[in-house]
């Protein structure tokens, strides 16, 4: 019957004590489990968080979206960050972004008005919830700006009551967290202030305060009016000068090339506010109406007052006849004339208010770069072209010599800026495939170490159990041959014979155990085994 190595090993393992068999089985199971764990760890993909920390409700909603789209996920222990495989991060972000992620943490907005309300809720709570919804909606709108990462809005609105004709005016406070290195422009800040003021009834823009994350006041509340006017004047002057700069560059770049022109305009502006009222009369008068009255009287009798004496009493009839025969003067005794003329007087009243921001003087400085010739060398511009540039600049800024405007144009070569250093390439250790390869190699080394350092010695040890004295003696006897078998048996008997006070030793090994130990000895000491076989052949003749 041929020897079966597997059967021999099974027989050797069966001859072990029960405790030793259990320990060997536990060791085998632990080694296999460790190997399987290493393989799974190497095969599992690297995970990366999709967004930063989110609320549990947002995490639950995001997990439902990822499950619907078949994207693997896991929640990091301790931090609760939602993670997906490294190669699916961008896909997961696009899917979540289509559903409104990441949430701004502003809470529930107007959608809370459509939720089922509790029974018996007071009107005060309803009003408070409405104000909270308005704040959340304002936060969502403000955080939609590119330069704002987060925002908080607080509304101070007095409760309307029938006992007060007019309550306190509403006010609002806004706190902004800006992106690193970003500063809000005046136009953006004004837009945020008017956005909040327009969303609340009866809220004036002057009662909206805006601060940044460092607590710096960005709006103009609390500033002196004189400083406020100064800042506004500076802003207007800067805006006017910038528009003139853009005009100069826009008209010269198509001729000289992009980046070949630099211009600076300084505007001396008058921000004095003047108000005047004038009354002007037209010197050319016109006759509107004329009235003439004339009174002529030929009666010599002068009438006196009633009851008074007349200077010339009436004469008798004879005397009157004598007088009638005398010559009579034809001229009137009394004549009066009155004339009244009405002339039209024109009157003009003018109310003049000059708008601040009048330009007193413009100073324009323009630098033009050299041009490239046919050989690629920089050469200065000719005089004719510079004269054309000067004329274009004067027309672009509205040059006025009477106002004292000046234009200075210089042709000079520009110093080319140093080229930007290229972005450093990611290092070898920053490549994701390096880490995956390292994990695979580490898992392979771990499995090989388990096989050669644990499993193989454990298998050999589990199938070669025997008492040390017996195992060594029988192995030597099997290797030395039949000539020394008797002496070896005597030595075994002498060694294994227990003294009277000791317990009996283990029984002698069977044939299969002896054969397994002989094979192990032959594997471990091939020279000695060859020598024993040679002696056997020589003794058999």
């Amino acid at each position: 019957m041929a020897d079966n190595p597997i059967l021999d090993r099974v027989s050797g393992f069966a001859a072990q004590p029960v405790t030793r068999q259990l320990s060997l089985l536990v060791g085998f199971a632990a080694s296999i489990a460790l190997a399987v764990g290493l393989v799974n760890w190497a095969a599992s993909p690297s995970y990366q968080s999709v967004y930063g920390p989110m609320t549990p409700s947002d995490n639950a909603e995001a997990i439902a979206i990822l499950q619907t789209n078949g994207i693997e996920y896991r929640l990091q222990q301790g931090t609760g960050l939602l993670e997906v495989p490294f190669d699916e991060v961008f896909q997961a972000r696009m899917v979540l972004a289509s559903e409104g992620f990441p949430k701004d943490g502003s809470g529930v907005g107007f959608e809370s008005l459509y939720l089922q309300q509790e029974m018996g809720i007071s009107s005060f709570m309803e009003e408070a919830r409405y104000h909270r919804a308005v704040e959340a909606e304002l936060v969502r709108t403000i955080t939609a700006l590119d330069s704002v990462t987060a925002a908080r809005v607080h509304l101070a609105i007095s409760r309307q009551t029938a006992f007060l004709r007019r309550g306190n005016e509403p006010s609002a406070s806004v706190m902004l967290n800006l992106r690193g290195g970003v500063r809000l422009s005046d136009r953006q800040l004004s837009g945020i202030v008017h956005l909040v003021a327009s969303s609340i009834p009866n809220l004036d823009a002057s009662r909206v305060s805006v601060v940044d994350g460092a607590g710096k006041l960005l709006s103009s509340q609390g500033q002196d009016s004189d400083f406020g006017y100064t800042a506004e004047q500076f802003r207007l002057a800067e805006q006017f000068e910038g528009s003139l700069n853009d005009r100069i560059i826009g008209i010269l770049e198509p001729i000289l090339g992009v980046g070949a022109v630099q211009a600076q305009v300084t505007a001396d502006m008058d921000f004095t506010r003047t108000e005047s009222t004038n009354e002007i009369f037209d010197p050319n008068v016109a006759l509107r109406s004329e009235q003439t009255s004339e009174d002529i009287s030929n009666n010599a009798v002068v009438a006196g007052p009633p009851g008074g004496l007349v200077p010339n009493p009436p004469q008798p009839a004879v005397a009157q006849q004598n007088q009638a025969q005398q010559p009579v003067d034809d001229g009137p005794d009394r004549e009066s004339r009155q004339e009244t003329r009405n002339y039209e007087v024109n009157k003009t009243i003018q109310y003049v208010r000059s708008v601040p921001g009048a330009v007193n003087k413009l100073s324009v400085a323009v630098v033009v770069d050299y041009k490239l010739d046919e050989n690629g060398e920089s050469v200065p511009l000719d005089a004719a072209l510079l004269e054309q540039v000067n004329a274009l600049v004067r027309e672009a800024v509205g040059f006025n010599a009477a106002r004292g405007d000046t234009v200075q144009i210089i042709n000079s070569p520009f110093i080319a800026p140093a080229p930007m250093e290229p972005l450093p390439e990611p290092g070898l250790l920053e490549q994701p495939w390096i880490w995956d390869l390292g994990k695979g190699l580490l898992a392979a080394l771990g499995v090989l170490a388990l096989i050669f350092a644990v499993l193989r010695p454990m298998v050999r040890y589990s199938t070669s159990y025997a008492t040390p004295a017996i195992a060594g003696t029988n192995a030597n006897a099997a290797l030395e041959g039949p000539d020394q078998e008797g002496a070896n048996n005597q030595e075994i008997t002498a060694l294994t014979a227990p003294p009277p006070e000791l317990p009996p030793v283990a029984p002698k090994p069977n044939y299969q155990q002896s054969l397994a130990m002989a094979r192990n000895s032959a594997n471990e000491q091939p020279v000695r085994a060859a020598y024993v076989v040679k002696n056997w052949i020589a003794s058999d003749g």
Side-chain angles (χ1 to χ4, degrees):
M1 181 177 178
D3 296 335
N4 191 345
I6 299 177
L7 184 61
D8 295 342
R9 292 182 181 276
V10 174
S11 301
F13 179 77
Q16 308 283 345
V18 177
T19 56
R20 190 172 183 183
Q21 291 179 1
L22 290 177
S23 62
L24 291 174
L25 289 176
V26 171
F28 275 115
S31 301
I32 293 173
L34 182 59
V36 172
L38 287 175
V39 173
N40 290 335
W41 172 74
S44 62
S46 300
Y47 280 79
Q48 183 179 355
S49 60
V50 183
Y51 298 114
M54 296 189 296
T55 60
S57 59
D58 292 343
N59 273 337
E61 186 177 354
I63 288 174
I65 296 173
L66 294 178
Q67 289 178 345
T68 304
N69 291 271
I71 299 176
E72 298 181 3
Y73 68 91
R74 75 176 184 185
L75 289 176
Q76 188 178 10
Q77 298 293 334
T79 60
L81 293 177
L82 183 62
E83 297 180 342
V84 296
F86 183 82
D87 54 348
E88 296 183 358
V89 172
F90 295 104
Q91 181 183 358
R93 288 178 179 175
M94 291 178 62
V95 171
L96 294 176
S98 63
E99 299 295 334
F101 281 86
K103 303 287 184 160
D104 50 21
S106 59
V108 182
F110 282 144
E111 60 268 19
S112 62
L113 303 179
Y114 302 99
L115 301 177
Q116 184 177 2
Q117 304 293 338
E118 298 86 353
M119 295 294 295
I121 188 172
S122 62
S123 60
F124 175 78
M125 289 302 300
E126 289 182 352
E127 187 176 358
R129 287 185 178 181
Y130 174 75
H131 292 163
R132 184 68 186 93
V134 173
E135 292 176 355
E137 292 295 333
L138 287 174
V139 167
R140 292 177 180 178
T141 305
I142 295 174
T143 51
L145 298 175
D146 295 335
S147 55
V148 180
T149 58
R152 291 291 300 273
V153 178
H154 301 282
L155 300 178
I157 303 176
S158 60
R159 191 177 182 183
Q160 300 294 332
T161 175
F163 299 99
L164 293 178
R165 181 174 299 177
R166 184 179 181 182
N168 296 327
E169 295 183 359
S171 60
S173 302
V174 182
M175 189 194 74
L176 303 177
N177 288 332
L178 305 178
R179 299 186 185 275
V182 176
R183 179 178 177 272
L184 282 180
S185 63
D186 295 338
R187 182 174 298 179
Q188 290 175 325
L189 180 61
S190 178
I192 294 175
V193 170
H194 285 82
L195 171 67
V196 177
S198 302
S199 303
I200 308 301
N202 302 324
L203 177 59
D204 190 73
S206 61
R207 299 184 62 83
V208 179
S209 303
V210 182
V211 297
D212 59 4
K216 179 182 177 182
L217 183 65
L218 302 180
S219 55
S220 59
Q221 282 79 6
Q223 297 183 0
D224 188 77
S225 59
D226 295 338
F227 289 100
Y229 285 131
T230 304
E232 183 66 17
Q233 292 169 5
F234 178 78
R235 186 186 67 82
L236 291 176
E238 187 179 22
Q239 184 178 359
F240 178 70
E241 294 171 354
S243 65
L244 294 181
N245 290 337
D246 295 339
R247 289 182 185 179
I248 296 173
I249 295 176
I251 198 172
L252 293 181
E253 276 190 345
I255 301 174
L256 303 176
V258 178
V261 180
Q262 293 294 331
Q264 289 293 332
V265 178
T266 302
D268 182 10
M269 305 182 69
D270 183 13
F271 291 98
T272 304
R273 299 175 182 268
T274 304
E275 297 181 2
S276 62
T277 304
N278 300 325
E279 293 185 3
I280 302 174
F281 296 90
D282 189 0
N284 299 323
V285 296
L287 181 61
R288 182 177 64 179
S289 62
E290 182 178 4
Q291 183 179 1
T292 303
S293 176
E294 187 175 0
D295 185 12
I296 300 174
S297 175
N298 295 325
N299 190 0
V301 179
V302 178
L309 298 177
V310 294
N312 297 319
Q315 299 294 328
V318 178
Q320 291 181 0
Q321 291 178 359
N322 295 332
Q323 292 178 357
Q325 294 176 358
Q326 297 178 358
V328 180
D329 190 3
D330 295 335
D333 294 337
R334 184 171 57 88
E335 180 179 359
S336 64
R337 185 184 183 86
Q338 294 181 354
E339 292 183 357
T340 302
R341 292 185 178 90
N342 296 325
Y343 294 91
E344 187 69 31
V345 180
N346 295 334
K347 179 181 179 181
T348 303
I349 300 176
Q350 292 182 348
Y351 178 76
V352 181
R353 180 180 181 182
S354 62
V355 179
V359 179
N360 293 333
K361 181 181 178 181
L362 287 179
S363 300
V364 183
V366 181
V367 181
V368 181
D369 192 10
Y370 280 9
K371 67 177 181 179
L372 299 177
D373 59 2
E374 297 177 354
N375 299 327
E377 297 180 357
S378 297
V379 295
L381 302 180
D382 52 3
L385 184 56
L386 286 177
E387 187 63 29
Q388 294 178 1
V389 171
N390 191 357
L392 289 175
V393 171
R394 290 170 179 264
E395 293 296 330
V397 300
F399 180 82
N400 188 355
R403 193 171 52 189
D405 297 349
T406 58
V407 175
Q408 186 69 28
I409 299 177
I410 297 177
N411 184 208
S412 176
F414 287 0
I415 298 177
M420 296 181 61
E421 296 182 359
L423 295 176
E425 300 249 350
L428 186 62
L429 295 179
E430 296 179 2
Q431 301 290 340
W433 63 271
I434 289 294
W435 291 100
D436 295 338
L437 180 61
K439 289 170 60 177
L441 293 177
L442 186 60
L445 291 177
V447 173
L448 292 177
L450 285 175
I451 292 175
F452 290 100
V454 179
L455 292 179
R456 185 177 179 183
M458 191 176 294
V459 170
R460 183 179 298 172
Y461 178 72
S462 65
T463 57
S464 61
Y465 174 76
T467 304
I470 298 176
T473 305
N474 282 280
N476 293 333
L479 293 174
E480 291 176 359
D483 293 338
Q484 299 179 358
E485 184 176 356
N488 292 335
N489 291 334
Q490 293 177 2
E491 293 177 0
I492 293 173
T493 304
L495 291 172
T496 58
E501 67 275 8
L502 296 177
V505 297
K508 296 173 64 175
N510 55 16
Y511 173 77
Q512 296 293 338
Q513 293 178 353
S514 300
L515 183 60
M517 288 186 289
R519 288 177 177 173
N520 291 335
S521 299
N523 292 332
E524 295 176 357
Q525 300 176 358
V527 177
R528 188 174 182 181
Y531 180 78
V532 171
V533 173
K534 181 179 179 181
N535 290 336
W536 284 353
I537 295 174
S539 62
D540 290 341

